[in-house]
C-alpha cells in the first residue's frame, strides 16, 4: 500500500473513530509512514549487526499487537507515569477553547497563538506532542518544523497538523516532509482523542525501541572491544568500523582506522585475492559462504603481520559491506618456521631423537635414530613402544623410573642402553622430556639419546685405573692421605678411619684435617697450610715427623708422618701423598713397660716389706725362746706372735695365688644359698682384730627381713673382710666405719663407708686394678700388696654383681658399694662338719714320713707331728725317701714336690709300687697351688694337695679322718 493510499484510507475513516484507531494499530504491522519507517530501520540495524536477538522483529510487533486500541486502554496504561504535555499552536480562540475542553481532562495543554511563541516553548520545555494549525504555522511554521525535526533531541516529538479540507493537499505535502499525522476540520472529539493517543503511544514505542537499540549497540561494542581478534567492516574497500584489537594490531588509533583503505594495510597479493572475491566484478557464486585464508597485513611502521583472515558479506547501516575477522598468527608462523628449522636440525643430528605418546608409543624417530636401531625409514618404528627398543637390563628402569619421572617433573636424565635390531646393545646418555598442553596435560614425550660407547670405554679404563689406585690407597694397612693442589683430600685409606674414626666426609680438605685431626689453632692453620703448599710446589719430600693425632672421640694417637713428592693421578691431576705409621701402640707399650717396671719395683719393694714385717716378730720370738728360764706366759706370747705372723704371711701368699687363679680363670666358686647376715657376721669376725687395734668405731646395719644371695660363702666373706680391712688401714686411729646391707626386690647392696684418708680423683678410675695403691707415708704402712680391691672386683663379677668406689677426694673418706643379685629361695642347710675340730679323745698316732729338701721345714713339721702323738721319720731327697719308706712302712707321707734330682711326682709314683704302701695316705706339700698343679699331683698318685705353709689344723683333721676311717 502506498503512502497516498494510506492517507486516503485514513481520510475515509474520519467518520468512524473506532475503525480509525484500529487502523492506526494495524499500521504498526503493515508499515505506518512514520512507525514502519523507524521500526524497519531499527530491526534492520539489529539484524545486520548480528544482535537482532536483543529485540526481535516479532517481539517488536507483538508489543504493538498487544496494545489495546481503545481510549480507556490508552488512558489507563500504567507506563504513562505522568500526564502527557501537549503544545497546541492555534490562532483561533474558538479552537483554543475546543481543544482545551477536549484534551485538558487527560493531558496538560499549553496553547501558543503563533509560531514564534510555539518555538520558544518547544526549545525551553519540550512537549510530548505538537498539535498545530496549518494556517497558523504557515506564516512562520517552516521555521518551527525545521527547528523541531532538525534538532536531534526534539525530532522524536510527534506533530499533528489540523487544516480545513481545502488544505488537505498541503497537509499531505507536510506529511511527506516529516509531519506525523494530520486532521481535517471539523474534528470530532473521538477522532481527536484517538489520533493524539495513538501518536503519543507510537512516540513511546519509538523511544523504547531507540533505547533498546542503544543498549544493544553498547553491548555489541563492548563485546567487540573485548575480543582479542581484530574485527572490521569494510565498504568500498575502506574500513567503516574497526574494533580496538584491529587498531592496535595495525598500529593506528580507533579514529585513524575509520576510512583507511584496505590497500594500505593488506599485502598486494592478498588484496588481489580480496578484490577477486569481493570486488565490483566478483561473481555472486558462493557469496554467502565465509571466505577464509592466511594473509599478510602491513603494520603502520612497515613490518609484516601474518594473520588468519575470515570475511563474509553483510549489510551495515542498510548498505552492503564486508565483515572481516583477523587473528594475529605471526607468533605461530614464527614457531612453525622455528619448528621447521628444528626438524631439519633434528634430521641432521647424529643423536637419536624421538617423539612418543604419553603411553610410550613412538610417533617419530629421526634418521640417526633409525640408523642406530638398524631400521630403514619410520615404518618399522612408528607405533612401537619405547620399551621394545631398550635393553632388558635397562627396560625396567626407563619404564618404571625414567618415564614416570618425566611425566611428574617434566624431565629425566640418565644413562640407558638401546637394543638394536640385530640384538646388540648401545650405551646411551638419555634425556626424556614431557611436553604439556595449555590445559596442563601431557601431549607427547620426546627423548634424545647420545651414543656414549667410546666415552664409556675411556671411562671404564680410567675408572679401572682409578679403582686400582683407590684400592691400593684404601686397603693400605697404614694411614694414607691423597691431597690435590688446592688442599682437597681426594682419598684416605681405611686405616685413617679405623684408627681415628674420621671419615672422608669429616675431613674433606687439609684445613678440616688440621683443625679436627691435628687440633691446630685456627689462627695457625693458614701458616701450616702455606708451608704444606710450598713443599707441594717445590716438590720437596719432608722427613719423618712424629705428630699427635686426635681421634673423633677425643683420644690422642701418635703418628710418624712421611710426605711424598708430587705425583699424578690416572686422570693426570697432580697430587701429593702423605703416609704415616701409627706408633701409638709402640708409645703405649713403652709407657706400659715403664709403668710395669715401676709397678714391679713398687710391688717387689712392697712384697719385701710385707714379708719382712712378720719375720721381725718371728725372729724376736725365736730369740725369746733361746733365753734360759723362759716362763710359761712368755712361751705363750711367743707362740701367739709366731702364729699371727705366719697367718699374715699365709694371707699374703693366698692373695697372690687367688689373683693368679682368677686371672687364669681356674678358680671355682662353690655356690649355695647364703644368708647375707651370716657372711657379714663372719667377715666382721675376721676383721675385728684389726679394727679394734686401730680403735675404730664399727657400725653394722642389717635389714630386718632375711636377705639371701647365691654365692660362695667363703669368697663373699673374703670380699667383705677385704673392704673392712681396707677401711681400717686407710682411716686414722679412732675413725668411724659403717657397714650397711640394703635390699631391693632384685638386688642386695653392701656398703662400707669410712671417714679416712679418701681416694684422690686421679686414682679413683683405677682403684680396682692390680697393684694400685695410694701414696702411703711411713706411719701409714699398714701392709698389703695392692691386691685386695682387685680381688674384690673379680670375685664380685664372678657372682654376677659389680662394685663401685666413691670418694669426694683426699681426706674426705671413701665408700665402696657391692651390688649382688638377690634370690628369694630358702637358705640351704649348713653342714655340721667343719674343717677343724679337735682330735677325738681316743685318738692314737700314725706313722708319718716327712720328705722335704728344706731341713728346717722337715724337722719342724716332724716335731709338730710328734707333739701330736704321731711316729715320724724324715728324708731330704727322693732316693732317701724311698729307702726310709721301704723300711718304715709309713701310713701317711708328707711329700714336697720340688725336690732336687728326683721330683716329688716321680717319688710318689715309685713309692706307690713299694710293697705295703699302695694304701698309704700320700699328701703333696708344695708352694705351688694352681689348678694344673693339683691335677698333676692327683695324676701322680697323691691323695691330697696342701699349699705351704700348711695349716696344722687342716693337717690334723686329715690325720684324724685316717684313724676314724
Amino acid at each position: 500500500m502506498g503512502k497516498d493510499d494510506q492517507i486516503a484510507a485514513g481520510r475515509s475513516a474520519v467518520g468512524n473513530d473506532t475503525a480509525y484507531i484500529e487502523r492506526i494499530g494495524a499500521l504498526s504491522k503493515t508499515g505506518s509512514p512514520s512507525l514502519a519507517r523507524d521500526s524497519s530501520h531499527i530491526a534492520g540495524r539489529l539484524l545486520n549487526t548480528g544482535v537482532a536477538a536483543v529485540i526481535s522483529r516479532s517481539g517488536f510487533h507483538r508489543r504493538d499487537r498487544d496494545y489495546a486500541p481503545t481510549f480507556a486502554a490508552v488512558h489507563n496504561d500504567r507506563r504513562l507515569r505522568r500526564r502527557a504535555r501537549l503544545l497546541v499552536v492555534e490562532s483561533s480562540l474558538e479552537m483554543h477553547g475546543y481543544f482545551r475542553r477536549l484534551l485538558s481532562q487527560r493531558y496538560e495543554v499549553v496553547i501558543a497563538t503563533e509560531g514564534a511563541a510555539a518555538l520558544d516553548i518547544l526549545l525551553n520545555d519540550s512537549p510530548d506532542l505538537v498539535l498545530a494549525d496549518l494556517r497558523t504555522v504557515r506564516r512562520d511554521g517552516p521555521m518551527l518544523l525545521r527547528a523541531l525535526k532538525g534538532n536531534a533531541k526534539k525530532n522524536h516529538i510527534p506533530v499533528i497538523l489540523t487544516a480545513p479540507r481545502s488544505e488537505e493537499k498541503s497537509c499531505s505535502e507536510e506529511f511527506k516532509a516529516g509531519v506525523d499525522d494530520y486532521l481535517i476540520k471539523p474534528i470530532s472529539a473521538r477522532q481527536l482523542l484517538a489520533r493524539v493517543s495513538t501518536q503519543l503511544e507510537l512516540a513511546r514505542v519509538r523511544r523504547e525501541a531507540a533505547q533498546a537499540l542503544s543498549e544493544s549497540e553498547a553491548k555489541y561494542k563492548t563485546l567487540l572491544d573485548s575480543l582479542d581478534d581484530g574485527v572490521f567492516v569494510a565498504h568500498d574497500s575502506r574500513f567503516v568500523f574497526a574494533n580496538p584489537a584491529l587498531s592496535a594490531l595495525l598500529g593506528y588509533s580507533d579514529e585513524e582506522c575509520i576510512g583507511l583503505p584496505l590497500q594500505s594495510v593488506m599485502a598486494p597479493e592478498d588484496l588481489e585475492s580480496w578484490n577477486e572475491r569481493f570486488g565490483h566484478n566478483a561473481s555472486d557464486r558462493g557469496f554467502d559462504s565465509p571466505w577464509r585464508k592466511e594473509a599478510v597485513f602491513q603494520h603502520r611502521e612497515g613490518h609484516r603481520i601474518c594473520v588468519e583472515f575470515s570475511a563474509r558479506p553483510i549489510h551495515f547501516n542498510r548498505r552492503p559491506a564486508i565483515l572481516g575477522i583477523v587473528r594475529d598468527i605471526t607468533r605461530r608462523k614464527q614457531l612453525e618456521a622455528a619448528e621447521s628449522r628444528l626438524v631439519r636440525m633434528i634430521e641432521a643430528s647424529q643423536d637419536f631423537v624421538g617423539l612418543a605418546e604419553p603411553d610410550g608409543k613412538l610417533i617419530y624417530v629421526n634418521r640417526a635414530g633409525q640408523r642406530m636401531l638398524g631400521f630403514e625409514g619410520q615404518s618399522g618404528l612408528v607405533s612401537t613402544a619405547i620399551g621394545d627398543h631398550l635393553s632388558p637390563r635397562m627396560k625396567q628402569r626407563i619404564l618404571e623410573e625414567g618415564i614416570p619421572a618425566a611425566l611428574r617433573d617434566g624431565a629425566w636424565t640418565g644413562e640407558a642402553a638401546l637394543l638394536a635390531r640385530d640384538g646388540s646393545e648401545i650405551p646411551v646418555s638419555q634425556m626424556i622430556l614431557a611436553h604439556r598442553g595449555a590445559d596442563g596435560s601431557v601431549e607427547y614425550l620426546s627423548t634424545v639419546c647420545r651414543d656414549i660407547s667410546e666415552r664409556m670405554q675411556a671411562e671404564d679404563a680410567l675408572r679401572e685405573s682409578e679403582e686400582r689406585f683407590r684400592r691400593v690407597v684404601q686397603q693400605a694397612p697404614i694411614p694414607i692421605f691423597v691431597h690435590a693442589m688446592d688442599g682437597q683430600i681426594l682419598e684416605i685409606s681405611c686405616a685413617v678411619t679405623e684408627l681415628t674414626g674420621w671419615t672422608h666426609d669429616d675431613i674433606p680438605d687439609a684445613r678440616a684435617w688440621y683443625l679436627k685431626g691435628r687440633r691446630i689453632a685456627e689462627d695457625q692453620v693458614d701458616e701450616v697450610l702455606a708451608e704444606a703448599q710450598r713443599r707441594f710446589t717445590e716438590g720437596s719430600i719432608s722427613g719423618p715427623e712424629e705428630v699427635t693425632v686426635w681421634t673423633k672421640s677425643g683420644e690422642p694417637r701418635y703418628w710418624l708422618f712421611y710426605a711424598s713428592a708430587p705425583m699424578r693421578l690416572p686422570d693426570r691431576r697432580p697430587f701429593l701423598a702423605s703416609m704415616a705409621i701409627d706408633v701409638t701402640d709402640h708409645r703405649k707399650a713403652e709407657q706400659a713397660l715403664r709403668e710395669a717396671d715401676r709397678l714391679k719395683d713398687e710391688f717387689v719393694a712392697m712384697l719385701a716389706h710385707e714379708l719382712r714385717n712378720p719375720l721381725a716378730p718371728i725372729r724376736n720370738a725365736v730369740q725369746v725362746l733361746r733365753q734360759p728360764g723362759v716362763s710359761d706366759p712368755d712361751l705363750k706370747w711367743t707362740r701367739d706372735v709366731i702364729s699371727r705372723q705366719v697367718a699374715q704371711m699365709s694371707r699374703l701368699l693366698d692373695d697372690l695365688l687367688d689373683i693368679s687363679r682368677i686371672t687364669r680363670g681356674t678358680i671355682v666358686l662353690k655356690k649355695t644359698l647364703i644368708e647375707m647376715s651370716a657372711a657379714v657376721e663372719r667377715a666382721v669376725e675376721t676383721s675385728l682384730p684389726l679394727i679394734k687395734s686401730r680403735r675404730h668405731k664399727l657400725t653394722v646395719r642389717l635389714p630386718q627381713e632375711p636377705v639371701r644371695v647365691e654365692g660362695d660363702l667363703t669368697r663373699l666373706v673374703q670380699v667383705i673382710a677385704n673392704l673392712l680391712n681396707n677401711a681400717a688401714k686407710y682411716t686414722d686411729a679412732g675413725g668411724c666405719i659403717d657397714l650397711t646391707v640394703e635390699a631391693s626386690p632384685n638386688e642386695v647392696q653392701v656398703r662400707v663407708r669410712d671417714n679416712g684418708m679418701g681416694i684422690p680423683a686421679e686414682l679413683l678410675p683405677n682403684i680396682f686394678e692390680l697393684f694400685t695403691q695410694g701414696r702411703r707415708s711411713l706411719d701409714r704402712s699398714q701392709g698389703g700388696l695392692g691386691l685386695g680391691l682387685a680381688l674384690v672386683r673379680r670375685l664380685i663379677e664372678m657372682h654376677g654383681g659389680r662394685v663401685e668406689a666413691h670418694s669426694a677426694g683426699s681426706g674426705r673418706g671413701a665408700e665402696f658399694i657391692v651390688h649382688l643379685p638377690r634370690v628369694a629361695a630358702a637358705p640351704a642347710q649348713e653342714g655340721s662338719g667343719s674343717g677343724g675340730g679337735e682330735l677325738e679323745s681316743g685318738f692314737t698316732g700314725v706313722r708319718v714320713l716327712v720328705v722335704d729338701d728344706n731341713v728346717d721345714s722337715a724337722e719342724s713339721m716332724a716335731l709338730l707331728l710328734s707333739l701330736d702323738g704321731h711316729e715320724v721319720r724324715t728324708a731330704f731327697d727322693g732316693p732317701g725317701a724311698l729307702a726310709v719308706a721301704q723300711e718304715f712302712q709309713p701310713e701317711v707321707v708328707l711329700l714336697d714336690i720340688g725336690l732336687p734330682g728326683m721330683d716329688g711326682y716321680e717319688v710318689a709314683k715309685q713309692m706307690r709300687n713299694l710293697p705295703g704302701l699302695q694304701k698309704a695316705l700320700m699328701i703333696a706339700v708344695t708352694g705351688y697351688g694352681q689348678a694344673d698343679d693339683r691335677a698333676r699331683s692327683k695324676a701322680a698318685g697323691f691323695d691330697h694337695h696342701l699349699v705351704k705353709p700348711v695349716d696344722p689344723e687342716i693337717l690334723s683333721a686329715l690325720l684324724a679322718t685316717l684313724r676314724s676311717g
Side-chain angles (χ1 to χ4, degrees), residues 658-803:
D658 284 342
I659 282 295
S660 176
R661 294 189 192 103
I662 292 174
T663 303
R664 297 176 61 184
T666 58
I667 195 168
V668 178
L669 298 180
K670 299 178 180 178
K671 290 186 177 181
T672 59
L673 289 179
I674 299 170
E675 178 70 48
M676 281 303 299
S677 59
V680 170
E681 181 180 349
R682 294 192 184 187
V684 170
E685 181 181 351
T686 301
S687 303
L688 198 57
L690 176 60
I691 294 172
K692 287 184 176 180
S693 67
R694 302 282 294 170
R695 301 191 308 281
H696 295 317
K697 178 183 178 182
L698 174 65
T699 303
V700 180
R701 298 182 181 88
L702 298 174
Q704 295 294 328
E705 73 280 2
V707 177
R708 302 178 184 90
V709 298
E710 184 180 18
D712 188 319
L713 178 60
T714 302
R715 294 302 181 181
L716 291 180
V717 170
Q718 182 181 359
V719 165
I720 300 172
N722 277 357
L723 294 177
L724 289 173
N725 291 341
N726 198 64
K729 289 178 183 178
Y730 293 102
T731 301
D732 289 335
C736 295
I737 301 174
D738 292 335
L739 172 59
T740 305
V741 177
E742 298 175 346
S744 64
N746 299 318
E747 187 180 69
V748 176
Q749 294 181 3
V750 180
R751 298 174 179 267
V752 178
R753 179 184 299 172
D754 63 65
N755 61 349
M757 61 187 300
I759 305 172
E762 65 274 9
L763 186 62
L764 197 58
N766 302 315
I767 194 66
F768 294 105
E769 299 298 328
L770 286 172
F771 312 129
T772 299
Q773 286 185 317
R775 287 183 171 272
R776 295 185 296 170
S777 59
L778 292 177
D779 61 334
R780 285 182 177 169
S781 287
Q782 301 299 327
L785 300 175
L787 305 177
L789 293 179
L791 275 171
V792 167
R793 185 180 71 176
R794 284 161 173 77
L795 289 173
I796 291 301
E797 289 175 350
M798 290 178 68
H799 281 80
R802 70 183 192 279
V803 62

Side-chain angles (χ1 to χ4, degrees), residues 896-937:
D896 181 26
I897 298 297
L899 295 175
M902 183 185 297
D903 62 24
Y905 299 120
E906 184 62 28
V907 172
K909 290 179 181 179
Q910 294 188 22
M911 195 173 289
R912 282 294 188 191
N913 294 325
L914 293 177
L917 296 180
Q918 289 81 2
K919 294 184 178 181
L921 183 65
M922 301 193 70
I923 300 173
V925 179
T926 177
Y928 302 102
Q930 303 297 333
D932 55 350
D933 298 325
R934 296 177 182 274
R936 189 176 179 187
S937 65

